[in-house]
Amino acid sequence: WRLAKRSYFMVQQIAARYTQSDVKAIRYPDADGKLHATSEAMFLKLPARQQVAVEYENGTFVVVNGNGRHRLKTSFGGRDVDLCPYGYMAWTSDGEVYVESNDTGLGRFDISRSPAYTFRDERR
């Protein structure tokens, strides 16, 4: 039940934003956090790192670290991003929706804030 709640509340509000918009830019970070456009990233084989940052036309931003070993540290969409392995962040430029799944070093946390609800889950 806990996993089902977390899955729903973490995705529902941000998905309502990014599924209603076209993609504006897709960027892939290198090991130093520098972001590269898709054509350059393909040449550098950056998609193999399983880290990506996406900006949508409506001002929604999503950053995902699908890498199981390396942190993702970069700047994107006006924010500094520091994600643990398998972490992610998403936000809207109007500040209404913010989602983060990350690790503070003391344990994993998930938070989703929106006008509809605030959800938080922590695991040590």
Side-chain angles (χ1 to χ4, degrees):
W1 178 240
R2 183 179 186 182
L3 179 59
K5 285 193 311 186
R6 186 170 64 235
S7 296
Y8 175 82
F9 287 116
M10 290 299 291
V11 173
Q12 200 273 335
Q13 291 294 302
I14 198 69
R17 297 295 185 99
Y18 68 71
T19 59
Q20 303 303 308
S21 183
D22 291 331
V23 171
K24 182 176 181 179
I26 301 173
R27 299 288 182 257
Y28 295 87
D30 61 23
D32 296 322
K34 180 180 178 195
L35 296 172
H36 300 269
T38 303
S39 57
E40 184 180 11
M42 297 301 279
F43 177 75
L44 297 171
K45 299 183 172 48
L46 294 177
R49 292 180 55 81
Q50 299 178 315
Q51 299 173 329
V52 66
V54 182
E55 178 182 4
Y56 293 84
E57 292 286 347
N58 67 356
T60 301
F61 298 87
V62 177
V63 184
V64 177
N65 184 6
N67 191 300
R69 294 190 342 224
H70 302 288
R71 291 192 77 84
L72 167 53
K73 294 182 180 184
T74 192
S75 292
F76 185 67
R79 292 184 184 260
D80 290 330
V81 176
D82 183 359
L83 292 173
C84 68
Y86 303 119
Y88 59 91
M89 286 176 68
W91 63 93
T92 57
S93 58
D94 63 12
E96 285 196 2
V97 181
Y98 178 81
V99 175
E100 183 175 357
S101 181
N102 213 343
D103 189 331
T104 62
L106 300 174
R108 187 78 180 215
F109 72 91
D110 298 293
I111 187 162
S112 178
R113 290 190 308 261
S114 71
Y117 57 79
T118 297
F119 171 82
R120 184 168 180 94
D121 186 40
E122 297 181 37
R123 299 169 305 287
R124 294 197 186 273

